[in-house]
Amino acid sequence: MSVSGVFVWFLVVFSSLRREKMKTGRWMSLVLPLVAVLLAGAIPALAQTTIPSEVSEETLECIECHSTESMGIYQQWGTSKHFRANVGCYECHKADKDEADAFDHEGFLISIIVSPKDCSACHAKEVKEFDESHHAKAGAILGSLDNFLADIVEGDWNFYGGSALTVSGCKQCHGGVVEVNKDGSLKATGWPNTGMGRINPDGSVGACTACHQRHAFSAAQARRPENCGKCHLGPDHPQKEIYEESKHGIAFAAHEDDLNMENAKWVLGEDYTAAPTCATCHMSAVRTTDGELVPVTHDVGLRISWNNRPPASIRPEVSDKKLGLEKMAKVSWQTRRANMVKVCTVCHTAPYVSNFYEQYDGVVNLYNSKFAEPGIAIMKLLYENNLLTPTKFDELVEWTWWEIWHHEGRRARHGASMMAPDYTHWHGMYEVGKHWYTKFIPELREIVAHNANSSDPKKAEAAKALQAAIDELLARPEHSWFTGNMPAAEAEKRKKAQDEFKKRY
Amino acid sequence: MSVSGVFVWFLVVFSSLRREKMKTGRWMSLVLPLVAVLLAGAIPALAQTTIPSEVSEETLECIECHSTESMGIYQQWGTSKHFRANVGCYECHKADKDEADAFDHEGFLISIIVSPKDCSACHAKEVKEFDESHHAKAGAILGSLDNFLADIVEGDWNFYGGSALTVSGCKQCHGGVVEVNKDGSLKATGWPNTGMGRINPDGSVGACTACHQRHAFSAAQARRPENCGKCHLGPDHPQKEIYEESKHGIAFAAHEDDLNMENAKWVLGEDYTAAPTCATCHMSAVRTTDGELVPVTHDVGLRISWNNRPPASIRPEVSDKKLGLEKMAKVSWQTRRANMVKVCTVCHTAPYVSNFYEQYDGVVNLYNSKFAEPGIAIMKLLYENNLLTPTKFDELVEWTWWEIWHHEGRRARHGASMMAPDYTHWHGMYEVGKHWYTKFIPELREIVAHNANSSDPKKAEAAKALQAAIDELLARPEHSWFTGNMPAAEAEKRKKAQDEFKKRY
Amino acid sequence: MSVSGVFVWFLVVFSSLRREKMKTGRWMSLVLPLVAVLLAGAIPALAQTTIPSEVSEETLECIECHSTESMGIYQQWGTSKHFRANVGCYECHKADKDEADAFDHEGFLISIIVSPKDCSACHAKEVKEFDESHHAKAGAILGSLDNFLADIVEGDWNFYGGSALTVSGCKQCHGGVVEVNKDGSLKATGWPNTGMGRINPDGSVGACTACHQRHAFSAAQARRPENCGKCHLGPDHPQKEIYEESKHGIAFAAHEDDLNMENAKWVLGEDYTAAPTCATCHMSAVRTTDGELVPVTHDVGLRISWNNRPPASIRPEVSDKKLGLEKMAKVSWQTRRANMVKVCTVCHTAPYVSNFYEQYDGVVNLYNSKFAEPGIAIMKLLYENNLLTPTKFDELVEWTWWEIWHHEGRRARHGASMMAPDYTHWHGMYEVGKHWYTKFIPELREIVAHNANSSDPKKAEAAKALQAAIDELLARPEHSWFTGNMPAAEAEKRKKAQDEFKKRY
């Protein structure tokens, strides 16, 4: 235990013995300055201006109870850098009268939520970077199609007028509005919640605790792959699983003790090279192969050159613009890719990295051109011609198309982005291909059949247009195999390649 | 190596040198008392009455061979607390003549199976708690619907007259009857098996080794999440995966070295607070925020307030009563929840925990009322009206309904219980919703269409009743979106909420 | 840092200071012999004949740049056994003029690919064993049906005339041809690639780096289960997931620090017994219960007694023969099983192991006889009678059958092979059974219905033959439940067993 730790412990024990006789706060105000002077020589490193030189009286009073009540909080804080910096309970939880979630607790005005605005008192750079990033817009999903699923398809209106599923599902990753009762307590609609795009009672956006779990705020924890796996896993974006399959994940499992993860200065190329975690590549500091020191950033999009979220992959500056992220809308994908290449080349040669990106782009382009763009066009045709109702998810083909792009197509693209072959193929494009030919196309044909002889001439006309679109699509070389019309030249070429290959074995 | 360890080793080596000349047992009987007296001062901690003061002669003879033959067993035992307590091979494996699985092995009567009855000689409290718990009834499944799948649908009768799949599948988690050949050896139908509800040759139920892997019997191993993942994982109850996504699992991955997991006294709030494992919350000792010491229990249901196993969630005292667990049938869910809250509040405040339970109950109630109860009612209608054969799983809708509740609905409820949003939504209610509207309802309509004009007037009547049930169901507010009849007021409210939300971004 | 490490570091720093003035190579040639003589007494262990006695001049020159450029490579190498053995950059990457991928790099002729042929200069035994193994034929898949999926169904011809998906999917595990540009650089079609069956520019097969990740070449990393999980995971061969569920995986998670994994001599039964990894059972050295020392092997098939890859499980010597593995074609499955039993019996008794194999064989035989063999026969009937087009995957039943054997049936068999009940049942045979009765049989009936009244008399005849085959199949005892014709005796037996079982609870 550090000097200041001993000091805190001493005060806590001592003051509890006396608390019946004298109001601690007052007593503290007499003794503390004296003790502080006495200890000043012993702990010069703490005698700084921007960091409290000692634990505050208010926090000491919090500790009096919380060293036993919900003591996990106190103990975890005791392992944190906050403890050593004398940043305690009160420093983070104190509130002003005009804050909606302020309430009186044992004579102190505090709030439960510690928002990015609160954190920015010390961590202004980090909060600014976060505010400028894609992560800050995580909550925008809640007005979108995904939310229709949780709110309406899967939900009802019986949880404070909304869907309990949205609260325990979507909002736990995307964030939601933290609603405050009149007495300052928080509604279960928005708390507990550590969603990335949480809208806090003070108007700020985000939840630092999404990654920096309270109350240890361990650097190593935030840098580990499981941390990102709180949200980045599962059928629609299995980045955690993909990482674990990749050579990067295998190296991490074997060498995690060599990664120096508790180090404050955690610079790839200086402090470690044994393996990268999610944070390494997307956020953390790097000493580049040219000697440049790239600092850590909390803007997670600065090194990403494809946005693989939409039905067809787009460039991130395009989606950032749509989201109103002004700064990031001006950062081209080429710049972002150059940023990532600086990370890659700490451990890989430039030709390796360049070839990798060719492979990755190849998969994205294949997916985009063969499946995504035709699929988008056909779905548009269906809606515009009233071959589907405007209501989403009430017709089978809507589910089919949704899973092709939102689940399977993403898995393929994410898999390729991190070199996890099983996710690229079996969990990814294999499923895209399977459902394209065994569900999407047959369901489209069903719609044609159903409307071809409709008494509504517009629908009959639309069915014809759909049939023409299907025919045009399946006549393209890449789909021609399905109707048995693969170009003879291609078939011949393929057979020859196979024969040659087999000769090798 | 401890003093007693050195002692054992010495004896083993020494006796093997002499084994040709003198029967070890006799030689031991001469030397051991002397050596024991000499060592008595040096190892007072071992000089107790209830624990053997030295390794038994019989065990020493076992070791003579097994220090090389299947030596893994010997080495693992050497790392165990049993070793230090002089509890060796013979103490656990000795058998009486009248035990069905007793057999002669090198002059000793032993049995392979060490049953809970055997373990209870020293661990009576643990075995009693286990016997009173839901875990003790794990084998009851083998007379149920699940078992019909493994026995009949997937199986044949070619493995000793039964299904090999039941042996390698169901029974490995649920347990089965350990069958004994005439020579005391065990049939492959029931051995190897470490299923929780195993029925042993001595009539006792259970397998301590289900969690306490032989022969190290490591406390840390039993306390780790992977341990429970032997059975609690996969499509129908992915508790392990859910834990790993949760903040609890993330904290465990980051801080597992700070959990003091080898400590005999492993009390949350005293020995660790960095992260909980499955054992922490469901079984292990806790120093509560009020100062109470809650001891460890082997009754895993004492802190669980929902039984999410059945089609619709019920209270655990109800299912415990059905299973004949008399003691637990009297422990209300409120008491069990209060027990769990004592664990939660070591690290979380009471309002946090209370809000969490509101969220969790919200998801359970949503699932129960929107999907489970209507689904149960409709399936009942189908069977009672002979719209389905009595044989299970020979008709498509039976599979559909089964997966909705047994796989997907459970995932949602378990996901919410541990705050893993991906399992609550994508792996859970999303699948429930998808299959409800794209499979269950369409398949019901198919049954209506198939029977509406049946020559059997009862079936035609039943089809009408089914149609009416479907209509009534889909007219409910929470299903009204599907037929395009969402109440205008709700649609308006929703649109407004979306617009407001979008303005924030 | 070792003595030689200090030495290298000194030379690197010193030479970089001087590099502007004097060509390092020449300067080294003057100083090195002198330094070597001076250090000779201090590092006698390095003064061997077969291992370089010092870091080569060429490697030192590589280091001059690469201690900063892509320094991760340099640092990882610094942790490797290669470093201590003075095997550096040049020793592995040097190339001859006649090698296709040789190119000039700063005055040295090198190649990027370090092939098994290169590695065999020091590791001849390992490469020979690999060459004789199933692993060496991993690339043969690329002329097969799987490849049709990635090349044609999911792919297009826009990535150098082929499918980008094959490059980022299949080839990353199976290997592919490394194609070389005229300037010696590598095409993105084949590089980056660490596929097991890679065909290298020098004609050799394989990629040691598939398991031994460059440039640390850590023994512990190669021995860990995640390592094999690079390829052995996912829907079609989830060995990694299966291992993690098994008792072996649970023991590994709890005891990984006790496995002595960095030890050069890593002998089960000598260096560890706490848990096995994939390598332990399939490859690594074992001190058997009879005292025999079985050395490590790089032929991964020597202990495997079933090949569960094909639609129906076959014996490995049969498939090895088909693959042209002459040596392995002569090693019977009984010999291989005996090899594995030697591993098992280090920690398990012989009766345990024998019963386990009965259980495993039971599942394989059940799967083979109830589903695989009938399925194969029916698919053959379909193709031979032109009820399906010759093109694969253009008809629904082809996908259904494919997933039954290629995904689900394999999971069941692999699950049983490692005692992971969830994979044996829920992920395995449950899915086989579900899709057999709800998809395969109905789709076959659909084909009958579609062709029964065909104007082509051959098709009408074929439809009759198919119907007869379905009838014959469903009349077998193990399928009889599906048509409600379970033999009364069996039904009675089953009911009795259930009743008896229920009485126990």
Side-chain angles (χ1 to χ4, degrees):
Chain A
M1 192 183 281
S2 71
V3 172
S4 67
V6 174
F7 177 49
V8 169
W9 188 255
F10 160 78
L11 287 178
V12 168
V13 174
F14 193 72
S15 65
S16 352
L17 292 173
R18 295 186 55 111
R19 69 193 296 197
E20 301 307 310
K21 298 186 185 162
M22 193 181 193
K23 194 176 169 304
T24 310
R26 262 182 59 212
W27 177 81
M28 290 284 167
S29 67
L30 300 173
V31 177
L32 272 177
L34 180 66
V35 179
V37 168
L38 291 172
L39 284 175
I43 43 167
L46 296 177
Q48 296 177 4
T49 51
T50 53
I51 294 179
S53 62
E54 56 190 37
V55 174
S56 70
E57 284 177 42
E58 294 87 348
T59 289
L60 287 170
E61 210 160 329
C62 302
I63 294 170
E64 266 186 72
C65 292
H66 282 291
S67 58
T68 54
E69 286 187 27
S70 301
M71 59 80 81
I73 298 173
Y74 168 71
Q75 289 288 4
Q76 290 159 13
W77 169 70
T79 72
S80 76
K81 289 201 174 65
H82 283 169
F83 176 82
R84 300 211 166 206
N86 294 313
V87 175
C89 320
Y90 187 72
E91 283 64 54
C92 297
H93 284 281
K94 71 181 168 193
D96 291 329
K97 266 187 202 170
D98 59 351
E99 290 186 55
D101 58 337
F103 65 99
D104 178 84
H105 180 62
E106 307 284 336
F108 295 105
L109 205 61
I110 64 163
S111 63
I112 287 173
I113 299 276
V114 176
S115 77
K117 196 176 159 192
D118 297 322
C119 299
S120 72
C122 297
H123 303 285
K125 175 181 178 287
E126 286 75 13
V127 172
K128 183 170 177 290
E129 288 166 352
F130 172 82
D131 279 342
E132 292 166 352
S133 80
H134 196 85
H135 259 169
K137 299 295 182 185
I141 199 86
L142 295 180
S144 80
L145 203 60
D146 294 44
N147 198 225
F148 179 76
L149 281 168
D151 270 1
I152 304 301
V153 178
E154 308 157 38
D156 59 17
W157 305 299
N158 297 328
F159 196 77
Y160 295 94
S163 164
L165 206 258
T166 307
V167 172
S168 292
C170 321
K171 287 186 181 177
Q172 295 298 331
C173 283
H174 287 279
V177 180
V178 178
E179 295 178 297
V180 185
N181 295 316
K182 283 188 178 167
D183 64 356
S185 66
L186 306 177
K187 269 195 190 172
T189 52
W191 181 257
N193 186 288
T194 58
M196 190 57 89
R198 195 178 68 192
I199 296 178
N200 302 298
D202 64 9
S204 67
V205 171
C208 301
T209 190
C211 301
H212 301 279
Q213 281 186 217
R214 57 197 191 284
H215 286 93
F217 308 108
S218 150
Q221 174 257 306
R223 289 162 178 165
R224 290 183 66 91
E226 297 88 2
N227 186 54
C228 308
K230 165 76 192 302
C231 296
H232 291 276
L233 90 177
D236 57 332
H237 37 40
Q239 287 104 334
K240 187 199 167 202
E241 295 93 327
I242 286 166
Y243 169 81
E244 286 176 348
E245 189 191 2
S246 78
K247 288 283 195 189
H248 287 169
I250 295 167
F252 177 73
H255 301 299
E256 59 171 291
D257 292 340
D258 307 327
L259 256 66
N260 216 355
M261 293 183 77
E262 283 291 3
N263 203 9
K265 174 181 89 68
W266 194 59
V267 181
L268 178 70
E270 289 186 3
D271 298 302
Y272 68 108
T273 54
T277 73
C278 315
T280 301
C281 299
H282 291 284
M283 305 179 66
S284 296
V286 179
R287 175 69 70 181
T288 74
T289 202
D290 296 328
E292 182 192 358
L293 182 68
V294 178
V296 61
T297 176
H298 276 65
D299 183 342
V300 289
L302 271 172
R303 303 175 187 170
I304 281 179
S305 45
W306 280 112
N307 180 340
N308 291 321
R309 207 205 71 81
S313 294
I314 55 175
R315 294 304 182 177
E317 61 269 34
V318 178
S319 53
D320 283 348
K321 193 174 182 184
K322 275 190 198 165
L323 284 168
L325 293 163
E326 284 181 36
K327 184 184 158 191
M328 291 304 288
K330 291 173 199 151
V331 184
S332 73
W333 70 267
Q334 293 92 339
T335 299
R336 302 182 196 219
R337 179 163 291 187
N339 290 342
M340 185 64 95
V341 170
K342 286 181 184 176
V343 186
C344 306
T345 49
V346 172
C347 296
H348 300 282
T349 62
Y352 180 100
V353 177
S354 164
N355 272 23
F356 155 72
Y357 270 118
E358 252 195 85
Q359 294 182 347
Y360 173 30
D361 291 349
V363 170
V364 172
N365 291 333
L366 164 61
Y367 165 79
N368 268 8
S369 65
K370 182 166 180 177
F371 300 106
E373 284 153 13
I376 292 167
I378 281 185
M379 290 304 289
K380 197 166 167 244
L381 185 155
L382 292 177
Y383 285 115
E384 287 181 351
N385 289 280
N386 297 315
L387 293 172
L388 295 177
T389 67
T391 303
K392 297 294 184 292
F393 296 112
D394 62 340
E395 280 144 325
L396 190 58
V397 74
E398 295 175 297
W399 291 91
T400 302
W401 169 238
W402 165 258
E403 293 208 347
I404 284 175
W405 74 261
H406 185 269
H407 286 41
E408 301 150 10
R410 278 204 203 147
R411 293 196 296 252
R413 291 171 279 163
H414 291 148
S417 77
M418 283 191 264
M419 300 186 77
D422 195 80
Y423 285 86
T424 308
H425 183 237
W426 290 117
H427 286 291
M429 286 291 271
Y430 169 78
E431 296 286 334
V432 169
K434 180 175 79 172
H435 292 141
W436 183 268
Y437 295 113
T438 69
K439 289 188 169 184
F440 191 60
I441 299 292
E443 288 163 15
L444 294 177
R445 285 173 170 164
E446 192 86 14
I447 293 171
V448 171
H450 187 72
N451 291 281
N453 303 314
S454 172
S455 57
D456 178 347
K458 278 186 183 168
K459 290 213 166 169
E461 195 60 34
K464 265 192 207 170
L466 177 57
Q467 183 61 57
I470 298 169
D471 291 344
E472 185 278 325
L473 178 75
L474 295 182
R476 296 183 196 176
E478 65 269 27
H479 292 289
S480 58
W481 74 274
F482 186 60
T483 51
N485 293 312
M486 197 150 86
E490 281 301 339
E492 183 60 30
K493 198 174 105 193
R494 182 174 156 75
K495 199 182 166 325
K496 205 178 138 197
Q498 274 187 325
D499 291 346
E500 272 175 22
F501 198 88
K502 282 178 179 170
K503 261 186 244 162
R504 293 177 191 268
Y505 281 98
Chain B
M1 192 182 281
S2 71
V3 171
S4 67
V6 172
F7 178 47
V8 170
W9 188 255
F10 160 78
L11 287 179
V12 169
V13 173
F14 193 71
S15 65
S16 357
L17 291 172
R18 295 184 56 110
R19 68 194 297 198
E20 302 307 310
K21 298 186 184 161
M22 192 182 193
K23 194 174 169 305
T24 310
R26 264 183 57 212
W27 177 81
M28 290 284 168
S29 66
L30 300 173
V31 177
L32 272 177
L34 180 68
V35 178
V37 168
L38 291 172
L39 284 174
I43 43 166
L46 295 178
Q48 297 178 5
T49 51
T50 53
I51 294 179
S53 62
E54 55 191 37
V55 174
S56 69
E57 284 177 42
E58 294 88 347
T59 290
L60 286 170
E61 209 160 328
C62 303
I63 294 170
E64 266 186 73
C65 291
H66 282 290
S67 58
T68 54
E69 285 186 30
S70 301
M71 60 78 82
I73 297 173
Y74 168 72
Q75 289 288 5
Q76 290 159 14
W77 169 69
T79 72
S80 75
K81 289 200 174 65
H82 282 169
F83 176 82
R84 300 209 165 207
N86 294 312
V87 176
C89 319
Y90 187 71
E91 283 64 55
C92 299
H93 284 281
K94 69 181 169 196
D96 291 329
K97 266 186 202 171
D98 59 350
E99 290 186 55
D101 58 337
F103 65 99
D104 179 84
H105 179 62
E106 308 282 337
F108 295 105
L109 203 64
I110 65 162
S111 64
I112 287 173
I113 299 276
V114 177
S115 77
K117 195 176 158 194
D118 297 322
C119 299
S120 72
C122 296
H123 303 284
K125 174 180 177 287
E126 287 74 14
V127 172
K128 182 170 177 292
E129 288 166 351
F130 171 82
D131 279 341
E132 294 165 351
S133 81
H134 196 86
H135 260 169
K137 299 295 183 185
I141 199 87
L142 295 180
S144 82
L145 204 59
D146 295 45
N147 197 226
F148 179 76
L149 281 168
D151 269 1
I152 305 300
V153 178
E154 308 157 38
D156 59 18
W157 306 298
N158 297 329
F159 196 77
Y160 294 92
S163 164
L165 206 256
T166 306
V167 172
S168 292
C170 320
K171 288 187 182 176
Q172 296 298 331
C173 283
H174 288 279
V177 180
V178 178
E179 296 178 295
V180 185
N181 295 316
K182 283 188 181 168
D183 64 355
S185 67
L186 306 177
K187 269 195 190 171
T189 52
W191 181 257
N193 186 287
T194 59
M196 191 56 89
R198 196 178 68 192
I199 296 179
N200 302 297
D202 63 10
S204 68
V205 171
C208 301
T209 190
C211 301
H212 301 279
Q213 281 186 218
R214 57 195 191 284
H215 285 92
F217 309 108
S218 151
Q221 175 257 306
R223 290 163 177 164
R224 291 182 65 92
E226 297 88 2
N227 186 54
C228 309
K230 165 77 191 304
C231 296
H232 291 276
L233 89 176
D236 57 333
H237 38 40
Q239 286 104 334
K240 188 199 166 202
E241 297 92 327
I242 285 167
Y243 170 80
E244 286 176 349
E245 188 191 4
S246 78
K247 287 284 194 189
H248 288 168
I250 294 167
F252 177 73
H255 301 298
E256 59 172 290
D257 292 340
D258 306 328
L259 256 66
N260 217 356
M261 292 182 78
E262 284 289 4
N263 202 8
K265 175 181 87 70
W266 194 59
V267 181
L268 178 70
E270 288 186 4
D271 298 303
Y272 69 106
T273 54
T277 73
C278 314
T280 301
C281 299
H282 292 284
M283 304 179 67
S284 297
V286 179
R287 173 70 70 183
T288 75
T289 201
D290 296 328
E292 182 192 358
L293 182 68
V294 178
V296 61
T297 176
H298 277 65
D299 182 342
V300 290
L302 270 171
R303 303 175 187 170
I304 281 180
S305 45
W306 280 112
N307 179 340
N308 292 320
R309 207 205 71 82
S313 294
I314 55 175
R315 294 305 182 177
E317 61 270 34
V318 178
S319 53
D320 283 347
K321 194 173 182 186
K322 276 189 199 166
L323 284 169
L325 294 163
E326 284 180 36
K327 184 184 157 189
M328 292 303 288
K330 292 173 198 150
V331 185
S332 73
W333 70 267
Q334 293 93 337
T335 299
R336 302 181 196 221
R337 180 164 292 186
N339 290 342
M340 185 65 94
V341 169
K342 284 181 185 177
V343 186
C344 306
T345 48
V346 172
C347 294
H348 300 283
T349 61
Y352 179 100
V353 177
S354 163
N355 272 22
F356 154 72
Y357 270 117
E358 253 195 84
Q359 294 181 348
Y360 173 29
D361 291 348
V363 170
V364 172
N365 291 333
L366 164 61
Y367 165 79
N368 269 7
S369 65
K370 182 164 180 179
F371 300 106
E373 284 153 13
I376 292 167
I378 282 185
M379 291 304 289
K380 198 166 167 243
L381 186 156
L382 293 177
Y383 285 115
E384 288 182 350
N385 289 279
N386 297 316
L387 293 172
L388 295 177
T389 68
T391 304
K392 297 295 184 292
F393 295 113
D394 63 340
E395 281 145 323
L396 191 57
V397 75
E398 296 176 295
W399 291 90
T400 301
W401 170 239
W402 165 259
E403 293 208 347
I404 284 176
W405 75 262
H406 186 269
H407 286 42
E408 302 151 10
R410 279 205 205 147
R411 293 196 296 251
R413 291 172 279 164
H414 291 149
S417 76
M418 284 191 265
M419 301 187 77
D422 196 79
Y423 285 86
T424 309
H425 184 238
W426 291 117
H427 287 291
M429 287 291 271
Y430 169 77
E431 296 286 334
V432 170
K434 181 176 79 173
H435 292 140
W436 184 269
Y437 295 114
T438 67
K439 290 188 168 184
F440 191 60
I441 299 292
E443 288 163 14
L444 294 177
R445 286 173 170 165
E446 192 86 13
I447 293 172
V448 171
H450 187 71
N451 291 282
N453 302 315
S454 172
S455 57
D456 178 348
K458 278 186 185 169
K459 290 213 166 169
E461 196 62 33
K464 264 191 205 168
L466 176 58
Q467 182 63 56
I470 298 170
D471 291 344
E472 185 277 327
L473 178 76
L474 295 182
R476 295 182 198 177
E478 65 269 28
H479 291 291
S480 59
W481 74 272
F482 186 59
T483 50
N485 293 312
M486 196 149 86
E490 280 302 336
E492 183 58 31
K493 197 175 106 192
R494 182 173 156 76
K495 200 184 165 323
K496 207 178 137 196
Q498 276 188 325
D499 290 347
E500 272 174 22
F501 199 88
K502 283 179 178 168
K503 262 186 240 161
R504 293 176 193 266
Y505 281 97
Chain C
M1 193 182 280
S2 70
V3 172
S4 67
V6 173
F7 176 49
V8 170
W9 188 254
F10 160 77
L11 287 179
V12 169
V13 174
F14 193 72
S15 65
S16 358
L17 291 172
R18 295 186 55 109
R19 71 195 292 201
E20 301 307 310
K21 297 184 185 163
M22 194 181 193
K23 195 176 170 304
T24 309
R26 263 183 57 211
W27 176 82
M28 289 284 169
S29 67
L30 300 173
V31 177
L32 272 177
L34 180 67
V35 178
V37 167
L38 291 172
L39 284 176
I43 43 167
L46 295 177
Q48 299 176 3
T49 50
T50 53
I51 294 179
S53 62
E54 55 188 39
V55 174
S56 70
E57 283 179 42
E58 294 88 347
T59 290
L60 287 169
E61 209 160 328
C62 302
I63 294 170
E64 265 187 72
C65 291
H66 282 292
S67 58
T68 54
E69 285 186 30
S70 302
M71 59 79 83
I73 298 172
Y74 168 72
Q75 289 288 5
Q76 290 160 14
W77 169 70
T79 72
S80 76
K81 288 201 173 66
H82 283 169
F83 176 82
R84 300 210 165 205
N86 295 312
V87 175
C89 320
Y90 187 71
E91 282 64 53
C92 299
H93 284 280
K94 70 182 169 195
D96 291 330
K97 264 187 204 172
D98 59 350
E99 290 186 54
D101 58 337
F103 65 98
D104 179 86
H105 179 62
E106 307 283 337
F108 295 105
L109 204 62
I110 64 163
S111 64
I112 287 173
I113 300 275
V114 176
S115 78
K117 195 176 159 191
D118 297 322
C119 299
S120 71
C122 297
H123 302 285
K125 174 180 179 287
E126 287 75 13
V127 171
K128 182 170 176 290
E129 288 166 350
F130 171 82
D131 278 343
E132 293 165 353
S133 80
H134 196 86
H135 260 169
K137 298 296 183 185
I141 200 86
L142 295 181
S144 81
L145 204 60
D146 295 45
N147 198 227
F148 179 76
L149 280 168
D151 270 1
I152 304 300
V153 178
E154 309 157 39
D156 60 17
W157 305 300
N158 296 329
F159 195 77
Y160 293 93
S163 164
L165 207 258
T166 307
V167 172
S168 292
C170 321
K171 287 186 181 177
Q172 296 298 331
C173 284
H174 288 278
V177 180
V178 178
E179 296 178 295
V180 185
N181 295 315
K182 284 188 179 169
D183 63 356
S185 66
L186 306 176
K187 270 195 190 172
T189 52
W191 181 255
N193 186 288
T194 59
M196 190 57 88
R198 196 177 68 193
I199 295 178
N200 302 296
D202 64 9
S204 67
V205 171
C208 301
T209 191
C211 302
H212 300 278
Q213 282 187 218
R214 57 196 190 284
H215 286 91
F217 308 107
S218 151
Q221 175 257 305
R223 290 164 177 163
R224 290 183 65 91
E226 297 87 3
N227 186 54
C228 309
K230 165 77 192 301
C231 296
H232 291 276
L233 90 177
D236 56 334
H237 38 40
Q239 287 103 335
K240 188 199 166 202
E241 296 92 328
I242 286 166
Y243 170 81
E244 286 176 348
E245 188 192 2
S246 78
K247 288 283 194 189
H248 288 169
I250 294 167
F252 177 73
H255 301 298
E256 60 172 290
D257 292 339
D258 307 327
L259 257 67
N260 218 354
M261 293 182 76
E262 284 290 5
N263 201 9
K265 176 182 87 71
W266 193 59
V267 181
L268 177 69
E270 288 185 4
D271 298 304
Y272 69 106
T273 55
T277 73
C278 315
T280 301
C281 299
H282 292 284
M283 305 179 66
S284 296
V286 179
R287 173 70 69 182
T288 74
T289 202
D290 295 328
E292 181 193 359
L293 182 68
V294 178
V296 62
T297 175
H298 277 65
D299 183 341
V300 289
L302 270 172
R303 302 175 188 171
I304 282 179
S305 44
W306 279 112
N307 180 340
N308 292 320
R309 208 206 70 82
S313 294
I314 55 174
R315 295 304 181 178
E317 62 268 35
V318 178
S319 53
D320 283 348
K321 193 174 182 185
K322 275 191 200 165
L323 283 168
L325 294 163
E326 285 180 34
K327 183 184 158 190
M328 291 303 288
K330 292 173 198 150
V331 185
S332 72
W333 70 267
Q334 292 94 336
T335 299
R336 302 183 196 218
R337 180 164 291 187
N339 290 342
M340 185 64 94
V341 170
K342 286 181 185 178
V343 186
C344 306
T345 48
V346 172
C347 295
H348 299 282
T349 61
Y352 179 100
V353 178
S354 164
N355 272 21
F356 154 72
Y357 270 118
E358 253 195 85
Q359 294 181 348
Y360 173 30
D361 291 348
V363 171
V364 172
N365 290 334
L366 165 61
Y367 165 79
N368 269 9
S369 65
K370 180 164 180 178
F371 300 106
E373 284 154 13
I376 292 167
I378 282 185
M379 290 304 290
K380 198 166 166 243
L381 186 156
L382 292 177
Y383 285 116
E384 287 182 352
N385 289 280
N386 296 315
L387 293 173
L388 295 177
T389 68
T391 303
K392 297 293 184 293
F393 295 112
D394 63 340
E395 281 144 324
L396 191 57
V397 75
E398 296 175 296
W399 292 90
T400 301
W401 169 239
W402 165 259
E403 293 208 347
I404 283 176
W405 75 261
H406 186 269
H407 286 42
E408 301 151 9
R410 278 205 204 148
R411 294 196 295 252
R413 290 171 280 163
H414 291 147
S417 77
M418 284 191 264
M419 300 186 77
D422 196 79
Y423 284 86
T424 308
H425 184 237
W426 290 118
H427 287 292
M429 286 290 271
Y430 169 77
E431 297 286 334
V432 170
K434 181 175 79 172
H435 292 140
W436 183 269
Y437 294 113
T438 68
K439 290 188 169 183
F440 191 60
I441 299 292
E443 287 163 16
L444 294 176
R445 286 173 170 164
E446 192 86 15
I447 293 171
V448 171
H450 187 72
N451 291 282
N453 302 314
S454 172
S455 57
D456 177 348
K458 279 187 184 167
K459 290 213 167 169
E461 196 61 33
K464 265 191 206 168
L466 177 57
Q467 182 63 57
I470 298 171
D471 291 343
E472 185 276 327
L473 178 74
L474 295 181
R476 295 183 196 177
E478 65 268 29
H479 292 290
S480 58
W481 74 273
F482 187 58
T483 52
N485 293 312
M486 197 150 87
E490 280 301 339
E492 183 58 30
K493 198 175 105 192
R494 182 173 157 76
K495 202 186 164 319
K496 206 178 136 197
Q498 275 188 326
D499 291 346
E500 271 173 24
F501 199 89
K502 282 179 178 168
K503 263 185 240 160
R504 294 177 192 268
Y505 281 99

